[in-house]
Amino acid sequence: MRAPMTDATKPPPQMTGCVCEQGGARFTEFESRDVGCDETEGRFAEVTLNRCRTCGRTWLRYLVEYEAFSRSGRWARGLINDDAAKTITPETTVAHLNGLEWYLYGGSYFDGISARRSGPMRWGP
């Protein structure tokens, strides 16, 4: 079940056609700022805020990899407004992504495929 959307979790206007809306957008398309590491349930997930160099929208990115398991890498990237970006923590990132109408996801866990989805995603190994 998705968390209810509040003004803080509602993303900016959707689908502008910008390259940042594609799961395969290269890291060079963004200016990145580290939020920290989410150690919840031993995930040690890397959390960053990425501002699109083209349209200026901010994306919240969550990345997990388990060194002991091949093809375990997975990431999610969802829009976040400036007010929510000021208060987001590594530990609240998953709840934020789960509450969005949609977010992008991908990684080796998904055979390199990236797409849009909503709702919770499996983060464990």
Side-chain angles (χ1 to χ4, degrees), residues 51-77:
R51 184 169 303 273
C52 177
R53 293 179 190 271
T54 303
C55 72
R57 291 185 298 173
T58 302
W59 295 82
L60 178 62
R61 183 173 174 263
Y62 193 84
L63 170 68
V64 173
E65 288 185 280
Y66 297 96
E67 293 179 13
F69 300 96
S70 63
R71 301 172 58 113
S72 67
R74 63 205 84 165
W75 58 265
R77 187 174 75 229

PDB file of all heavy atoms in Angstrom, residues 51-77:
ATOM      1  N   ARG A  51      20.295  16.837  -9.552  1.00  0.00           N
ATOM      2  CA  ARG A  51      19.587  17.910 -10.263  1.00  0.00           C
ATOM      3  C   ARG A  51      19.911  17.795 -11.744  1.00  0.00           C
ATOM      4  O   ARG A  51      21.061  17.757 -12.143  1.00  0.00           O
ATOM      5  CB  ARG A  51      19.974  19.285  -9.744  1.00  0.00           C
ATOM      6  CG  ARG A  51      19.152  20.391 -10.426  1.00  0.00           C
ATOM      7  CD  ARG A  51      19.301  21.738  -9.763  1.00  0.00           C
ATOM      8  NE  ARG A  51      18.958  21.764  -8.366  1.00  0.00           N
ATOM      9  CZ  ARG A  51      17.721  21.970  -7.885  1.00  0.00           C
ATOM     10  NH1 ARG A  51      16.709  22.142  -8.714  1.00  0.00           N
ATOM     11  NH2 ARG A  51      17.501  22.006  -6.599  1.00  0.00           N
ATOM     12  N   CYS A  52      18.854  17.722 -12.562  1.00  0.00           N
ATOM     13  CA  CYS A  52      19.016  17.597 -14.001  1.00  0.00           C
ATOM     14  C   CYS A  52      19.642  18.876 -14.560  1.00  0.00           C
ATOM     15  O   CYS A  52      19.160  19.971 -14.294  1.00  0.00           O
ATOM     16  CB  CYS A  52      17.670  17.335 -14.666  1.00  0.00           C
ATOM     17  SG  CYS A  52      17.752  17.243 -16.465  1.00  0.00           S
ATOM     18  N   ARG A  53      20.696  18.726 -15.338  1.00  0.00           N
ATOM     19  CA  ARG A  53      21.370  19.879 -15.936  1.00  0.00           C
ATOM     20  C   ARG A  53      20.519  20.534 -17.026  1.00  0.00           C
ATOM     21  O   ARG A  53      20.713  21.691 -17.352  1.00  0.00           O
ATOM     22  CB  ARG A  53      22.711  19.457 -16.524  1.00  0.00           C
ATOM     23  CG  ARG A  53      23.720  19.019 -15.497  1.00  0.00           C
ATOM     24  CD  ARG A  53      25.023  18.594 -16.168  1.00  0.00           C
ATOM     25  NE  ARG A  53      25.925  17.947 -15.243  1.00  0.00           N
ATOM     26  CZ  ARG A  53      26.820  18.585 -14.498  1.00  0.00           C
ATOM     27  NH1 ARG A  53      26.920  19.887 -14.575  1.00  0.00           N
ATOM     28  NH2 ARG A  53      27.611  17.901 -13.690  1.00  0.00           N
ATOM     29  N   THR A  54      19.549  19.804 -17.570  1.00  0.00           N
ATOM     30  CA  THR A  54      18.723  20.332 -18.658  1.00  0.00           C
ATOM     31  C   THR A  54      17.490  21.067 -18.143  1.00  0.00           C
ATOM     32  O   THR A  54      17.259  22.216 -18.484  1.00  0.00           O
ATOM     33  CB  THR A  54      18.292  19.187 -19.604  1.00  0.00           C
ATOM     34  OG1 THR A  54      19.465  18.545 -20.096  1.00  0.00           O
ATOM     35  CG2 THR A  54      17.470  19.716 -20.769  1.00  0.00           C
ATOM     36  N   CYS A  55      16.693  20.403 -17.298  1.00  0.00           N
ATOM     37  CA  CYS A  55      15.420  21.006 -16.869  1.00  0.00           C
ATOM     38  C   CYS A  55      15.438  21.535 -15.442  1.00  0.00           C
ATOM     39  O   CYS A  55      14.528  22.250 -15.034  1.00  0.00           O
ATOM     40  CB  CYS A  55      14.278  20.008 -17.045  1.00  0.00           C
ATOM     41  SG  CYS A  55      14.305  18.642 -15.853  1.00  0.00           S
ATOM     42  N   GLY A  56      16.438  21.165 -14.652  1.00  0.00           N
ATOM     43  CA  GLY A  56      16.560  21.680 -13.293  1.00  0.00           C
ATOM     44  C   GLY A  56      15.785  20.919 -12.236  1.00  0.00           C
ATOM     45  O   GLY A  56      15.858  21.276 -11.055  1.00  0.00           O
ATOM     46  N   ARG A  57      15.021  19.886 -12.626  1.00  0.00           N
ATOM     47  CA  ARG A  57      14.278  19.123 -11.610  1.00  0.00           C
ATOM     48  C   ARG A  57      15.238  18.292 -10.763  1.00  0.00           C
ATOM     49  O   ARG A  57      16.301  17.888 -11.211  1.00  0.00           O
ATOM     50  CB  ARG A  57      13.241  18.214 -12.258  1.00  0.00           C
ATOM     51  CG  ARG A  57      12.111  19.018 -12.867  1.00  0.00           C
ATOM     52  CD  ARG A  57      11.016  18.139 -13.407  1.00  0.00           C
ATOM     53  NE  ARG A  57      11.547  17.289 -14.474  1.00  0.00           N
ATOM     54  CZ  ARG A  57      10.861  16.328 -15.050  1.00  0.00           C
ATOM     55  NH1 ARG A  57       9.627  16.069 -14.679  1.00  0.00           N
ATOM     56  NH2 ARG A  57      11.391  15.609 -16.006  1.00  0.00           N
ATOM     57  N   THR A  58      14.825  18.041  -9.526  1.00  0.00           N
ATOM     58  CA  THR A  58      15.644  17.276  -8.596  1.00  0.00           C
ATOM     59  C   THR A  58      15.076  15.872  -8.450  1.00  0.00           C
ATOM     60  O   THR A  58      13.868  15.681  -8.284  1.00  0.00           O
ATOM     61  CB  THR A  58      15.704  17.962  -7.220  1.00  0.00           C
ATOM     62  OG1 THR A  58      16.229  19.284  -7.393  1.00  0.00           O
ATOM     63  CG2 THR A  58      16.586  17.191  -6.255  1.00  0.00           C
ATOM     64  N   TRP A  59      15.977  14.904  -8.502  1.00  0.00           N
ATOM     65  CA  TRP A  59      15.638  13.484  -8.365  1.00  0.00           C
ATOM     66  C   TRP A  59      16.337  12.934  -7.128  1.00  0.00           C
ATOM     67  O   TRP A  59      17.490  13.261  -6.856  1.00  0.00           O
ATOM     68  CB  TRP A  59      16.114  12.705  -9.584  1.00  0.00           C
ATOM     69  CG  TRP A  59      15.433  13.088 -10.850  1.00  0.00           C
ATOM     70  CD1 TRP A  59      15.730  14.158 -11.660  1.00  0.00           C
ATOM     71  CD2 TRP A  59      14.340  12.416 -11.462  1.00  0.00           C
ATOM     72  NE1 TRP A  59      14.878  14.184 -12.728  1.00  0.00           N
ATOM     73  CE2 TRP A  59      14.021  13.120 -12.643  1.00  0.00           C
ATOM     74  CE3 TRP A  59      13.604  11.274 -11.145  1.00  0.00           C
ATOM     75  CZ2 TRP A  59      13.003  12.724 -13.489  1.00  0.00           C
ATOM     76  CZ3 TRP A  59      12.594  10.874 -11.985  1.00  0.00           C
ATOM     77  CH2 TRP A  59      12.292  11.598 -13.146  1.00  0.00           C
ATOM     78  N   LEU A  60      15.645  12.078  -6.413  1.00  0.00           N
ATOM     79  CA  LEU A  60      16.193  11.373  -5.265  1.00  0.00           C
ATOM     80  C   LEU A  60      16.587   9.977  -5.746  1.00  0.00           C
ATOM     81  O   LEU A  60      15.763   9.256  -6.316  1.00  0.00           O
ATOM     82  CB  LEU A  60      15.128  11.288  -4.164  1.00  0.00           C
ATOM     83  CG  LEU A  60      15.511  10.547  -2.894  1.00  0.00           C
ATOM     84  CD1 LEU A  60      16.682  11.236  -2.192  1.00  0.00           C
ATOM     85  CD2 LEU A  60      14.293  10.479  -1.970  1.00  0.00           C
ATOM     86  N   ARG A  61      17.849   9.607  -5.563  1.00  0.00           N
ATOM     87  CA  ARG A  61      18.343   8.328  -6.068  1.00  0.00           C
ATOM     88  C   ARG A  61      18.789   7.444  -4.917  1.00  0.00           C
ATOM     89  O   ARG A  61      19.464   7.890  -3.996  1.00  0.00           O
ATOM     90  CB  ARG A  61      19.520   8.565  -7.009  1.00  0.00           C
ATOM     91  CG  ARG A  61      20.060   7.299  -7.636  1.00  0.00           C
ATOM     92  CD  ARG A  61      21.103   7.668  -8.687  1.00  0.00           C
ATOM     93  NE  ARG A  61      21.758   6.506  -9.213  1.00  0.00           N
ATOM     94  CZ  ARG A  61      22.928   6.049  -8.790  1.00  0.00           C
ATOM     95  NH1 ARG A  61      23.574   6.663  -7.829  1.00  0.00           N
ATOM     96  NH2 ARG A  61      23.464   4.979  -9.345  1.00  0.00           N
ATOM     97  N   TYR A  62      18.398   6.172  -4.995  1.00  0.00           N
ATOM     98  CA  TYR A  62      18.715   5.177  -3.970  1.00  0.00           C
ATOM     99  C   TYR A  62      19.379   4.000  -4.670  1.00  0.00           C
ATOM    100  O   TYR A  62      18.812   3.433  -5.602  1.00  0.00           O
ATOM    101  CB  TYR A  62      17.400   4.745  -3.308  1.00  0.00           C
ATOM    102  CG  TYR A  62      17.539   3.952  -2.036  1.00  0.00           C
ATOM    103  CD1 TYR A  62      17.711   4.600  -0.817  1.00  0.00           C
ATOM    104  CD2 TYR A  62      17.444   2.572  -2.037  1.00  0.00           C
ATOM    105  CE1 TYR A  62      17.788   3.882   0.361  1.00  0.00           C
ATOM    106  CE2 TYR A  62      17.523   1.841  -0.860  1.00  0.00           C
ATOM    107  CZ  TYR A  62      17.699   2.505   0.343  1.00  0.00           C
ATOM    108  OH  TYR A  62      17.777   1.794   1.505  1.00  0.00           O
ATOM    109  N   LEU A  63      20.582   3.630  -4.251  1.00  0.00           N
ATOM    110  CA  LEU A  63      21.353   2.574  -4.909  1.00  0.00           C
ATOM    111  C   LEU A  63      21.816   1.536  -3.901  1.00  0.00           C
ATOM    112  O   LEU A  63      22.402   1.884  -2.874  1.00  0.00           O
ATOM    113  CB  LEU A  63      22.575   3.183  -5.600  1.00  0.00           C
ATOM    114  CG  LEU A  63      23.624   2.218  -6.144  1.00  0.00           C
ATOM    115  CD1 LEU A  63      23.074   1.420  -7.319  1.00  0.00           C
ATOM    116  CD2 LEU A  63      24.878   2.967  -6.530  1.00  0.00           C
ATOM    117  N   VAL A  64      21.561   0.262  -4.206  1.00  0.00           N
ATOM    118  CA  VAL A  64      21.959  -0.849  -3.346  1.00  0.00           C
ATOM    119  C   VAL A  64      22.725  -1.871  -4.177  1.00  0.00           C
ATOM    120  O   VAL A  64      22.316  -2.199  -5.294  1.00  0.00           O
ATOM    121  CB  VAL A  64      20.726  -1.551  -2.721  1.00  0.00           C
ATOM    122  CG1 VAL A  64      21.126  -2.792  -1.967  1.00  0.00           C
ATOM    123  CG2 VAL A  64      19.977  -0.608  -1.814  1.00  0.00           C
ATOM    124  N   GLU A  65      23.818  -2.380  -3.615  1.00  0.00           N
ATOM    125  CA  GLU A  65      24.554  -3.493  -4.211  1.00  0.00           C
ATOM    126  C   GLU A  65      25.028  -4.383  -3.078  1.00  0.00           C
ATOM    127  O   GLU A  65      25.452  -3.902  -2.040  1.00  0.00           O
ATOM    128  CB  GLU A  65      25.767  -3.008  -4.990  1.00  0.00           C
ATOM    129  CG  GLU A  65      25.445  -2.322  -6.288  1.00  0.00           C
ATOM    130  CD  GLU A  65      26.694  -1.980  -7.060  1.00  0.00           C
ATOM    131  OE1 GLU A  65      27.322  -0.976  -6.727  1.00  0.00           O
ATOM    132  OE2 GLU A  65      27.021  -2.752  -7.984  1.00  0.00           O
ATOM    133  N   TYR A  66      24.969  -5.687  -3.293  1.00  0.00           N
ATOM    134  CA  TYR A  66      25.446  -6.657  -2.313  1.00  0.00           C
ATOM    135  C   TYR A  66      26.644  -7.373  -2.914  1.00  0.00           C
ATOM    136  O   TYR A  66      26.494  -8.153  -3.853  1.00  0.00           O
ATOM    137  CB  TYR A  66      24.337  -7.640  -1.945  1.00  0.00           C
ATOM    138  CG  TYR A  66      23.163  -6.958  -1.294  1.00  0.00           C
ATOM    139  CD1 TYR A  66      22.053  -6.579  -2.040  1.00  0.00           C
ATOM    140  CD2 TYR A  66      23.187  -6.660   0.059  1.00  0.00           C
ATOM    141  CE1 TYR A  66      20.984  -5.930  -1.439  1.00  0.00           C
ATOM    142  CE2 TYR A  66      22.125  -6.004   0.662  1.00  0.00           C
ATOM    143  CZ  TYR A  66      21.032  -5.649  -0.095  1.00  0.00           C
ATOM    144  OH  TYR A  66      19.981  -4.999   0.492  1.00  0.00           O
ATOM    145  N   GLU A  67      27.825  -7.105  -2.356  1.00  0.00           N
ATOM    146  CA  GLU A  67      29.060  -7.642  -2.925  1.00  0.00           C
ATOM    147  C   GLU A  67      29.068  -9.160  -2.983  1.00  0.00           C
ATOM    148  O   GLU A  67      29.685  -9.746  -3.869  1.00  0.00           O
ATOM    149  CB  GLU A  67      30.258  -7.139  -2.120  1.00  0.00           C
ATOM    150  CG  GLU A  67      30.477  -5.652  -2.256  1.00  0.00           C
ATOM    151  CD  GLU A  67      31.656  -5.162  -1.441  1.00  0.00           C
ATOM    152  OE1 GLU A  67      32.446  -5.999  -0.960  1.00  0.00           O
ATOM    153  OE2 GLU A  67      31.784  -3.944  -1.291  1.00  0.00           O
ATOM    154  N   ALA A  68      28.408  -9.820  -2.059  1.00  0.00           N
ATOM    155  CA  ALA A  68      28.424 -11.287  -2.012  1.00  0.00           C
ATOM    156  C   ALA A  68      27.517 -11.927  -3.063  1.00  0.00           C
ATOM    157  O   ALA A  68      27.589 -13.130  -3.277  1.00  0.00           O
ATOM    158  CB  ALA A  68      27.999 -11.756  -0.620  1.00  0.00           C
ATOM    159  N   PHE A  69      26.678 -11.135  -3.713  1.00  0.00           N
ATOM    160  CA  PHE A  69      25.714 -11.681  -4.668  1.00  0.00           C
ATOM    161  C   PHE A  69      25.880 -11.013  -6.028  1.00  0.00           C
ATOM    162  O   PHE A  69      25.761  -9.798  -6.143  1.00  0.00           O
ATOM    163  CB  PHE A  69      24.280 -11.465  -4.178  1.00  0.00           C
ATOM    164  CG  PHE A  69      23.996 -12.110  -2.854  1.00  0.00           C
ATOM    165  CD1 PHE A  69      24.078 -11.370  -1.685  1.00  0.00           C
ATOM    166  CD2 PHE A  69      23.667 -13.447  -2.775  1.00  0.00           C
ATOM    167  CE1 PHE A  69      23.827 -11.946  -0.458  1.00  0.00           C
ATOM    168  CE2 PHE A  69      23.410 -14.038  -1.548  1.00  0.00           C
ATOM    169  CZ  PHE A  69      23.497 -13.293  -0.385  1.00  0.00           C
ATOM    170  N   SER A  70      26.133 -11.830  -7.051  1.00  0.00           N
ATOM    171  CA  SER A  70      26.221 -11.249  -8.389  1.00  0.00           C
ATOM    172  C   SER A  70      24.833 -10.809  -8.832  1.00  0.00           C
ATOM    173  O   SER A  70      23.816 -11.346  -8.385  1.00  0.00           O
ATOM    174  CB  SER A  70      26.813 -12.253  -9.379  1.00  0.00           C
ATOM    175  OG  SER A  70      25.983 -13.381  -9.497  1.00  0.00           O
ATOM    176  N   ARG A  71      24.786  -9.819  -9.690  1.00  0.00           N
ATOM    177  CA  ARG A  71      23.544  -9.294 -10.239  1.00  0.00           C
ATOM    178  C   ARG A  71      22.568  -8.836  -9.149  1.00  0.00           C
ATOM    179  O   ARG A  71      21.364  -9.035  -9.262  1.00  0.00           O
ATOM    180  CB  ARG A  71      22.899 -10.320 -11.160  1.00  0.00           C
ATOM    181  CG  ARG A  71      23.816 -10.695 -12.318  1.00  0.00           C
ATOM    182  CD  ARG A  71      23.255 -11.843 -13.112  1.00  0.00           C
ATOM    183  NE  ARG A  71      21.948 -11.503 -13.621  1.00  0.00           N
ATOM    184  CZ  ARG A  71      21.636 -11.341 -14.881  1.00  0.00           C
ATOM    185  NH1 ARG A  71      22.560 -11.509 -15.792  1.00  0.00           N
ATOM    186  NH2 ARG A  71      20.420 -11.040 -15.253  1.00  0.00           N
ATOM    187  N   SER A  72      23.106  -8.229  -8.112  1.00  0.00           N
ATOM    188  CA  SER A  72      22.262  -7.763  -7.014  1.00  0.00           C
ATOM    189  C   SER A  72      22.040  -6.257  -7.028  1.00  0.00           C
ATOM    190  O   SER A  72      21.242  -5.739  -6.253  1.00  0.00           O
ATOM    191  CB  SER A  72      22.879  -8.159  -5.668  1.00  0.00           C
ATOM    192  OG  SER A  72      24.095  -7.454  -5.463  1.00  0.00           O
ATOM    193  N   GLY A  73      22.723  -5.531  -7.903  1.00  0.00           N
ATOM    194  CA  GLY A  73      22.634  -4.078  -7.927  1.00  0.00           C
ATOM    195  C   GLY A  73      21.278  -3.595  -8.411  1.00  0.00           C
ATOM    196  O   GLY A  73      20.745  -4.073  -9.408  1.00  0.00           O
ATOM    197  N   ARG A  74      20.709  -2.662  -7.669  1.00  0.00           N
ATOM    198  CA  ARG A  74      19.433  -2.069  -8.079  1.00  0.00           C
ATOM    199  C   ARG A  74      19.381  -0.632  -7.594  1.00  0.00           C
ATOM    200  O   ARG A  74      19.999  -0.275  -6.601  1.00  0.00           O
ATOM    201  CB  ARG A  74      18.253  -2.865  -7.571  1.00  0.00           C
ATOM    202  CG  ARG A  74      18.135  -2.913  -6.072  1.00  0.00           C
ATOM    203  CD  ARG A  74      17.392  -4.126  -5.617  1.00  0.00           C
ATOM    204  NE  ARG A  74      18.332  -5.224  -5.538  1.00  0.00           N
ATOM    205  CZ  ARG A  74      18.108  -6.350  -4.911  1.00  0.00           C
ATOM    206  NH1 ARG A  74      16.970  -6.557  -4.322  1.00  0.00           N
ATOM    207  NH2 ARG A  74      19.006  -7.296  -4.865  1.00  0.00           N
ATOM    208  N   TRP A  75      18.649   0.173  -8.334  1.00  0.00           N
ATOM    209  CA  TRP A  75      18.520   1.587  -7.994  1.00  0.00           C
ATOM    210  C   TRP A  75      17.103   2.050  -8.289  1.00  0.00           C
ATOM    211  O   TRP A  75      16.383   1.427  -9.054  1.00  0.00           O
ATOM    212  CB  TRP A  75      19.534   2.437  -8.770  1.00  0.00           C
ATOM    213  CG  TRP A  75      19.426   2.308 -10.257  1.00  0.00           C
ATOM    214  CD1 TRP A  75      20.153   1.471 -11.054  1.00  0.00           C
ATOM    215  CD2 TRP A  75      18.529   3.002 -11.130  1.00  0.00           C
ATOM    216  NE1 TRP A  75      19.755   1.611 -12.366  1.00  0.00           N
ATOM    217  CE2 TRP A  75      18.766   2.545 -12.443  1.00  0.00           C
ATOM    218  CE3 TRP A  75      17.547   3.970 -10.928  1.00  0.00           C
ATOM    219  CZ2 TRP A  75      18.061   3.024 -13.544  1.00  0.00           C
ATOM    220  CZ3 TRP A  75      16.847   4.442 -12.025  1.00  0.00           C
ATOM    221  CH2 TRP A  75      17.108   3.975 -13.315  1.00  0.00           C
ATOM    222  N   ALA A  76      16.743   3.135  -7.646  1.00  0.00           N
ATOM    223  CA  ALA A  76      15.474   3.815  -7.924  1.00  0.00           C
ATOM    224  C   ALA A  76      15.761   5.309  -7.924  1.00  0.00           C
ATOM    225  O   ALA A  76      16.623   5.788  -7.181  1.00  0.00           O
ATOM    226  CB  ALA A  76      14.425   3.472  -6.885  1.00  0.00           C
ATOM    227  N   ARG A  77      15.048   6.031  -8.772  1.00  0.00           N
ATOM    228  CA  ARG A  77      15.201   7.482  -8.868  1.00  0.00           C
ATOM    229  C   ARG A  77      13.824   8.095  -9.049  1.00  0.00           C
ATOM    230  O   ARG A  77      13.114   7.789  -9.996  1.00  0.00           O
ATOM    231  CB  ARG A  77      16.113   7.830 -10.052  1.00  0.00           C
ATOM    232  CG  ARG A  77      16.459   9.293 -10.130  1.00  0.00           C
ATOM    233  CD  ARG A  77      17.478   9.595 -11.206  1.00  0.00           C
ATOM    234  NE  ARG A  77      16.863   9.534 -12.529  1.00  0.00           N
ATOM    235  CZ  ARG A  77      17.357   8.875 -13.569  1.00  0.00           C
ATOM    236  NH1 ARG A  77      18.456   8.181 -13.455  1.00  0.00           N
ATOM    237  NH2 ARG A  77      16.735   8.908 -14.723  1.00  0.00           N
TER     238      ARG A  77
END
